[in-house]
Amino acid sequence: THFRITLKRSTIGLPERLRGTVASLGLRRRLQTVYYRHTPEMAGKILSVKELVEVQNVPASAVRTQEEQRKERKPPRGFTVVKSML
């Protein structure tokens, strides 16, 4: 039900039109991932930059917000607070 789009190649040195298409997909840096519903507009944008991105079809349950993606990447603290002295 959704596209999972990851930018695999940099847009440095590419024509302005392709850079604009990548920006309209919401991708700013390499290895950034965004999710979009299946629509003809998104499919057209993806096809125009197919060499730069990796696309996967995922169900709605696998869609993650930006904050959820950050929390998944964040390493554990390495310690736990047992008792606070305050």
Side-chain angles (χ1 to χ4, degrees):
T1 61
H2 286 75
F3 290 122
R4 178 182 181 197
I5 308 166
T6 304
L7 185 62
K8 290 295 185 177
R9 302 278 313 249
S10 174
T11 59
I12 295 173
L14 292 177
E16 188 65 35
R17 184 171 179 163
L18 288 179
R19 280 191 263 166
T21 303
V22 170
S24 71
L25 287 171
L27 298 168
R28 293 185 304 269
R29 64 184 72 85
R30 284 185 61 236
L31 302 180
Q32 183 180 6
T33 301
V34 292
Y35 295 88
Y36 286 106
R37 288 193 181 277
H38 285 199
T39 61
E41 294 83 14
M42 284 298 132
K45 288 179 183 181
I46 291 168
L47 281 175
S48 67
V49 293
K50 64 184 176 284
E51 299 86 8
L52 306 174
V53 296
E54 177 184 324
V55 180
Q56 298 173 343
N57 291 321
V58 295
S61 61
V63 174
R64 302 283 182 256
T65 64
Q66 296 265 336
E67 293 167 10
E68 291 172 338
Q69 291 178 37
R70 272 191 216 115
K71 287 180 183 177
E72 289 173 358
R73 285 192 310 264
K74 191 173 182 178
R77 293 176 66 179
F79 64 92
T80 56
V81 177
V82 178
K83 182 177 178 184
S84 176
M85 299 300 280
L86 299 177

